[in-house]
Amino acid sequence: MIITKGRLIAVDWMRTLAFVAMAIFHFGRDFEVLGLVPPGTTFGGLWDISARTIAGSFLFLVGFSLWLAHGSRFRARSYFKRLAVLIVAAAGVSLATYFAVPGAWVRFGILHSIALTSLIGLLFLRAHWVVTLAAAAAVFWLAPMLRTPALDGAWWMWTGLGTWVPPSIDYEPLVPWLAPLLAGLAFGQAGGGRLMQWGPNQPGQLAEALAWPGRHALSLYLIHQPILIAVVFSGAWVWRQM
């Protein structure tokens, strides 16, 4: 069993895996954003499937972590401090993309979704796991049937219940992305924490190194895109000089 400093290291490993998958996806997407491949190359097919899988895995882990952190006792101070950081980070992403990609800036992306769904998750924190899982299923299967043109447009795009939204390079609205968070919360409520207590008793340097990105996923998320864009842009410039 690996638990370091009150954390399940296996969960950190899973966050690391999700982050690496996301970085690989964004690396490919940046080629299109910079105009190095034809428009639409990284949209549709396996690209869309991988994007949804990565976003869903992050939100599942957020829901599971919500239970690990607050399942036994709600720690208001740490929760709202984390929420405030998420809100500021989400606003920063919106502002940065508004200037960088004005035609498809991030109005409601993954960080916005994590912040909002984490708040809603509090309503189910003391529910039975069956209730939470049923709510997740309802959001995933039933809520999309409620889509209506009355909720079209930028002001309502956070709901996911409109029939049209403005272009955006990152869009994870409440419906259906509340579903994986509630599923992760239900996993924790059903005893998922016991299933994640695996690995060597004394994590070595490699184990800790693999866990490090998962423990700093938010910070890495905020800086990885500028780094990737710089790498792709520099590589393209060098290639053209050859």
Side-chain angles (χ1 to χ4, degrees), residues 123-208:
L123 300 176
F124 294 87
L125 196 58
R126 297 291 172 257
H128 191 278
W129 70 267
V130 173
V131 173
T132 307
L133 189 61
V139 171
F140 187 78
W141 294 106
L142 301 179
M145 300 178 188
L146 302 177
R147 289 194 172 104
T148 171
L151 296 177
D152 286 351
W155 287 107
W156 297 102
M157 64 183 300
W158 61 271
T159 66
L161 295 177
T163 58
W164 176 87
V165 293
S168 178
I169 58 174
D170 184 25
Y171 180 51
E172 277 84 28
L174 189 65
V175 175
W177 296 103
L178 175 60
L181 180 133
L182 291 179
L185 179 58
F187 177 69
Q189 292 168 331
R194 292 191 295 273
L195 297 178
M196 299 305 299
Q197 295 177 356
W198 49 270
N201 290 326
Q202 297 295 326
Q205 291 184 347
L206 178 60
E208 292 288 354

Side-chain angles (χ1 to χ4, degrees), residues 28-67:
R29 176 63 56 83
D30 289 340
F31 278 87
E32 183 171 346
V33 172
L34 294 173
L36 300 175
V37 296
T41 299
T42 60
F43 288 87
L46 291 177
W47 284 99
D48 281 355
I49 293 173
S50 63
R52 294 189 183 103
T53 301
I54 293 166
S57 66
F58 267 112
L59 284 160
F60 180 92
L61 290 171
V62 170
F64 182 43
S65 298
L66 182 64
W67 173 256

